[in-house]
Amino acid sequence: MTDTGAEKRPPTIDDVVRVAKAEPELPAEDGAVREGTAPPRIVEIARLAGVSPITVSRALRQPEKVAEAKRRKILEIVERTGYATNPHARALRSGQSNIVAAFVSNIQSQQFCLAVQGCGEVLEPQGYQLMIGQTSYSYAKETTMIQSLREMRPAAVMFTGVIEIEENRRALRALGIPIMETWAYPRDPIDMLVGFSNIDGGRLAAEHFAGRGYRRVAFIGRRSGRGALRLSGFREGAHEAGLDIVAELSVDGVSSMVDGRRALGDLLSRDASVQAVFCANDLLATGALLEARRRGMRLPDDIAILGFGHQDIADELPPGLTTVGIDSRDLGRRAGQLILQRMRSETPDSLTQVVDLTLAQRGSS
Amino acid sequence: MTDTGAEKRPPTIDDVVRVAKAEPELPAEDGAVREGTAPPRIVEIARLAGVSPITVSRALRQPEKVAEAKRRKILEIVERTGYATNPHARALRSGQSNIVAAFVSNIQSQQFCLAVQGCGEVLEPQGYQLMIGQTSYSYAKETTMIQSLREMRPAAVMFTGVIEIEENRRALRALGIPIMETWAYPRDPIDMLVGFSNIDGGRLAAEHFAGRGYRRVAFIGRRSGRGALRLSGFREGAHEAGLDIVAELSVDGVSSMVDGRRALGDLLSRDASVQAVFCANDLLATGALLEARRRGMRLPDDIAILGFGHQDIADELPPGLTTVGIDSRDLGRRAGQLILQRMRSETPDSLTQVVDLTLAQRGSS
DNA sequence: TTGTAGGCGTTATCAA
DNA sequence: TTGATAACGCCTACAA
């Protein structure tokens, strides 16, 4: 990649500290941005190789169409000069950008970040760049971002979620690019889907509670989106198993551990006889778990808590949080693979994949 | 924004569940991407408004240079048709893209995400898009990403960190665009800096321990980058206060709670007399705290733990983790503001800002 | 205040 | 297998 074999030893503590000893000095104020030398253009490469620009273009994009010797020479020069295609010119002429937009509901969520990472692992080696945006669980923000996609003209779009508002669904379809939805299992995805049934997740929670012998159960979570689906499944499962849902506590907006704490407090003050609580995400569950322990309750004897998401911390907090969830990174990788096929105009076997829900049994239930 | 006043009521649980009842059905396989109608071009807007394309361009970019009546008419048509400038054409012609690249060491880190969010809050309303990349604390990955910037040609670049490798620093300077470094306080930032002294942070930790009367102290953290600086300051502070550093445990690679657990175990088996531990980040500190509690130790009496980062969870885990840190979102906002000024070729008062380190005293020390 | 001419760098198309 | 030509959509420079 580089033109010299220059050493590139990572700095060790001694280097770092030697440089940084002077930390508190203010840096010189002349640090104006220096104009870089203009990067080489395709014509320059063509000139050096003694071919026409289009041949250089082909050598990079369809190497099999260029004679062996020329191709080698061209690639060597590209390497040496550090030539890189101007993506704007390329996108303008070919109508193909190498940007894939990924929208997460909340960038602070480990689950969503893992999925995006997984997707990036697949796409980036193929020359695509992920651009990450955050919808903050806000339908208004979602609408704004989708509108801004018209300007961005990405090669594909992925969401850690499904789009519920019909107007936004139409807008996305109109982009004419691959659209990936995830994290749920709607009957009519816009285009592609790697998802799972949140309803089944809720049902699994209820079945787990029933299997462990709890009868008086409760729900804490959002009343819209995926929270609503998990609640719905939980209701069904509870009904079938003869469980008694003593309370459904609504937490709206982006939830935090504090919400989980507060919700558990509310719940206990309403009905102290509750035996088991299903929290629609791990952040709420973690808060509830901490609150229960703060009150000196023993888990799972005094109260059982079940989360959703397989978040790292769930395993670390004593006595360990039982959670329902999926392998988010794997979901992201699969999504990336489908998107890739679609961008290459290959035909995936199926535009829809389902990932498995699993229950990780720990000490809290 | 939209051409109709169509209702856009967010779905409630009933809508959601009604749609999703059919979840387990496989979606129809015909979901091919439909070609969208081509978006309008500037010539189309110009035709509708009875002006030339350049006037439309000006009405959007330099409205004051277009006569009131024409401007209003043009903007009305733009609104109605949903016209959006093709960013590639614009970038190609003007040499200015609206993408700002932001690199975080680890996308899972709450601190870095907050900073990026803060930065986005400032830049996005001005029409810039943040593109997020992850360096994974790897110098090799950092080098690769910096090279890929040549192709991406963003309007500016921001890092949640400073660039230590001279070759990368040169490559960044050569881009000729605003570069923002953060999270440290080098004497010679590449261009702009919103930082703080990690050495001071380490010193603050030592001083805090001294003030609380602990004498036998230890360090857990990375030996490179910021970890090294925090250790360096911690050593200095400990030396000045007459503390005894009984151990310095190295955790390399991306750290996790499990590393913190293990490191505390190692530490205690080496020297059980240690009174206080400074962990170079909150993830390690959280792991150490949990491990201490798992072993039945009382905090801070049996052992005091101090973290770095002001991460949310630090406040939630009993007895509360004392941490040194900064306001990350604020750092991000300031960085965004400087970047914005620089992109507009305004002259900021200073290319360098320092944010304050604070110590949040909780129960763990 | 508005418009004309031309080019940013690349690749599609067609021809050789 | 290679090249000539033109065009992608917009904006800078200059002219009116």
Side-chain angles (χ1 to χ4, degrees):
Chain A
M1 275 299 173
T2 60
D3 46 352
T4 72
E7 67 156 354
K8 220 161 53 184
R9 175 178 60 88
T12 67
I13 180 170
D14 293 319
D15 302 293
V16 170
V17 172
R18 188 181 320 122
V19 169
K21 277 295 185 191
E23 265 199 345
E25 287 175 24
L26 274 168
E29 283 295 311
D30 74 341
V33 175
R34 290 186 223 158
E35 284 313 307
T37 35
R41 301 304 178 211
I42 202 169
V43 283
E44 174 67 3
I45 308 302
R47 199 182 54 74
L48 290 172
V51 298
S52 75
I54 188 65
T55 304
V56 176
S57 176
R58 274 197 279 254
L60 290 168
R61 245 145 286 298
Q62 312 169 70
E64 72 284 0
K65 294 201 167 182
V66 175
E68 166 78 16
K70 279 192 178 163
R71 186 179 63 217
R72 274 234 299 278
K73 180 162 190 192
I74 291 170
L75 294 180
E76 184 266 318
I77 294 171
V78 163
E79 185 87 351
R80 181 156 51 77
T81 56
Y83 168 75
T85 305
N86 180 321
H88 301 298
R90 163 134 67 120
L92 181 59
R93 177 63 248 214
S94 71
Q96 303 210 350
S97 134
N98 69 333
I99 289 175
V100 173
F103 291 102
V104 297
S105 314
N106 175 13
I107 202 178
Q108 303 273 358
S109 156
Q110 186 185 30
Q111 304 312 299
F112 299 148
C113 285
L114 276 174
V116 169
Q117 283 185 336
C119 189
E121 279 168 24
V122 174
L123 296 179
E124 277 162 19
Q126 306 300 320
Y128 292 96
Q129 291 288 340
L130 270 190
M131 189 143 132
I132 301 168
Q134 179 181 245
T135 62
S136 306
Y137 292 104
S138 146
Y139 292 105
K141 191 130 186 238
E142 186 180 281
T143 301
T144 307
M145 308 209 80
I146 288 172
Q147 280 170 350
S148 84
L149 286 177
R150 297 195 70 186
E151 312 183 33
M152 220 180 311
R153 292 157 211 247
V157 189
M158 152 161 181
F159 295 88
T160 60
V162 299
I163 306 302
E164 293 164 355
I165 294 179
E166 187 50 37
E167 186 182 330
N168 289 349
R169 295 166 57 85
R170 265 199 307 272
L172 285 168
R173 266 197 212 96
L175 292 175
I177 57 178
I179 309 287
M180 171 62 72
E181 294 173 286
T182 63
W183 238 271
Y185 204 77
R187 71 185 310 169
D188 55 347
I190 297 174
D191 177 26
M192 295 182 288
L193 176 75
V194 178
F196 59 88
S197 164
N198 287 282
I199 291 183
D200 285 353
R203 196 181 282 114
L204 199 57
E207 286 162 6
H208 174 70
F209 283 163
R212 307 289 291 179
Y214 307 115
R215 308 220 64 79
R216 300 179 57 73
V217 301
F219 171 89
I220 297 175
R222 293 173 64 224
R223 294 290 204 127
S224 57
R226 296 184 280 267
L229 296 176
R230 291 167 196 167
L231 169 56
S232 166
F234 187 63
R235 281 178 183 163
E236 289 177 14
H239 182 73
E240 284 161 21
L243 304 188
D244 183 13
I245 298 186
V246 301
E248 295 173 2
L249 274 79
S250 166
V251 173
D252 286 308
V254 179
S255 51
S256 75
M257 254 185 268
V258 177
D259 294 320
R261 288 207 116 102
R262 193 172 32 69
L264 188 73
D266 288 357
L267 175 60
L268 293 173
S269 64
R270 267 198 229 183
D271 185 339
S273 74
V274 62
Q275 296 173 299
V277 186
F278 172 45
C279 300
N281 66 57
D282 277 3
L283 209 53
L284 289 173
T286 304
L289 184 148
L290 289 170
E291 178 66 17
R293 287 177 61 91
R294 198 186 63 77
R295 291 171 179 240
M297 301 175 84
R298 285 162 308 154
L299 282 79
D301 300 333
D302 294 335
I303 194 159
I305 295 178
L306 178 58
F308 197 109
H310 288 182
Q311 206 150 345
D312 274 0
I313 189 155
D315 201 9
E316 298 296 333
L317 283 183
L321 180 67
T322 303
T323 75
V324 177
I326 53 152
D327 181 340
S328 308
R329 189 185 291 269
D330 178 60
L331 179 149
R333 285 204 200 96
R334 295 194 197 201
Q337 251 130 20
L338 278 183
I339 290 171
L340 200 56
Q341 291 188 293
R342 193 48 162 278
M343 289 191 300
R344 291 173 169 166
S345 304
E346 297 166 11
T347 312
D349 294 341
S350 165
L351 297 173
T352 299
Q353 286 190 22
V354 187
V355 297
D356 292 331
L357 279 164
T358 56
L359 188 139
Q361 165 82 59
R362 310 232 175 74
S364 73
S365 72
Chain B
M1 274 297 174
T2 60
D3 47 352
T4 71
E7 66 156 356
K8 218 160 52 186
R9 175 177 61 88
T12 67
I13 181 168
D14 292 321
D15 303 295
V16 172
V17 173
R18 188 182 318 124
V19 169
K21 277 296 186 191
E23 265 196 348
E25 287 175 22
L26 274 169
E29 282 297 308
D30 74 341
V33 175
R34 288 185 221 158
E35 285 312 307
T37 36
R41 301 304 179 210
I42 201 169
V43 285
E44 174 68 3
I45 307 302
R47 200 182 53 74
L48 290 172
V51 297
S52 74
I54 189 62
T55 305
V56 176
S57 176
R58 276 198 277 256
L60 290 168
R61 246 150 280 302
Q62 312 171 70
E64 72 283 359
K65 292 201 169 184
V66 175
E68 167 77 18
K70 278 191 178 163
R71 187 179 64 218
R72 274 233 300 276
K73 179 161 190 191
I74 291 170
L75 294 181
E76 184 267 317
I77 293 171
V78 164
E79 186 85 351
R80 181 156 51 78
T81 54
Y83 167 75
T85 305
N86 180 320
H88 302 297
R90 165 138 64 123
L92 184 58
R93 177 62 247 216
S94 69
Q96 303 213 350
S97 131
N98 69 334
I99 289 176
V100 173
F103 292 103
V104 296
S105 316
N106 174 13
I107 202 177
Q108 303 273 358
S109 155
Q110 186 184 31
Q111 304 312 300
F112 299 148
C113 285
L114 277 174
V116 169
Q117 283 185 335
C119 189
E121 279 169 23
V122 174
L123 295 179
E124 277 161 19
Q126 305 301 319
Y128 292 96
Q129 292 287 341
L130 269 191
M131 191 143 131
I132 300 169
Q134 180 180 246
T135 61
S136 306
Y137 292 103
S138 146
Y139 292 104
K141 190 129 188 241
E142 186 180 282
T143 301
T144 307
M145 308 209 79
I146 288 172
Q147 280 169 352
S148 84
L149 285 178
R150 297 193 72 185
E151 312 183 33
M152 219 182 309
R153 290 158 213 245
V157 189
M158 154 162 178
F159 296 88
T160 60
V162 299
I163 307 303
E164 292 163 357
I165 294 179
E166 186 52 35
E167 185 183 330
N168 288 349
R169 295 167 56 85
R170 267 200 305 273
L172 285 168
R173 268 199 208 92
L175 293 174
I177 58 177
I179 309 287
M180 172 61 73
E181 295 173 285
T182 63
W183 238 271
Y185 205 75
R187 69 185 311 169
D188 55 346
I190 297 173
D191 177 26
M192 294 181 288
L193 175 75
V194 178
F196 58 88
S197 164
N198 287 280
I199 292 184
D200 285 353
R203 196 180 282 115
L204 199 57
E207 286 163 5
H208 174 71
F209 283 164
R212 306 289 292 182
Y214 308 116
R215 310 220 61 80
R216 299 179 58 73
V217 301
F219 172 89
I220 297 175
R222 292 173 63 222
R223 294 291 203 126
S224 59
R226 297 184 280 267
L229 296 176
R230 290 169 196 164
L231 169 56
S232 166
F234 187 64
R235 281 179 183 164
E236 289 179 12
H239 181 74
E240 284 162 21
L243 305 187
D244 183 13
I245 299 186
V246 301
E248 295 174 2
L249 274 81
S250 169
V251 173
D252 285 310
V254 179
S255 50
S256 75
M257 253 183 275
V258 177
D259 294 319
R261 289 207 115 102
R262 192 172 31 70
L264 188 74
D266 288 356
L267 175 61
L268 292 172
S269 64
R270 266 197 230 184
D271 184 340
S273 74
V274 62
Q275 297 173 300
V277 187
F278 172 44
C279 299
N281 66 57
D282 277 3
L283 209 54
L284 290 173
T286 305
L289 184 147
L290 289 169
E291 178 65 17
R293 287 177 60 92
R294 198 186 63 76
R295 292 169 177 241
M297 302 175 84
R298 286 161 309 153
L299 283 81
D301 300 333
D302 295 335
I303 193 159
I305 295 177
L306 178 59
F308 197 109
H310 288 181
Q311 207 150 342
D312 275 0
I313 190 155
D315 200 9
E316 299 296 334
L317 284 183
L321 178 68
T322 304
T323 75
V324 176
I326 53 151
D327 180 339
S328 309
R329 188 184 290 269
D330 178 60
L331 180 148
R333 285 204 199 96
R334 293 193 201 203
Q337 251 130 19
L338 277 183
I339 290 170
L340 199 58
Q341 291 188 293
R342 191 47 159 278
M343 290 191 301
R344 291 172 168 167
S345 305
E346 297 167 11
T347 312
D349 293 341
S350 165
L351 296 173
T352 299
Q353 286 191 22
V354 187
V355 298
D356 292 332
L357 280 164
T358 56
L359 187 139
Q361 165 82 60
R362 311 232 175 75
S364 73
S365 72

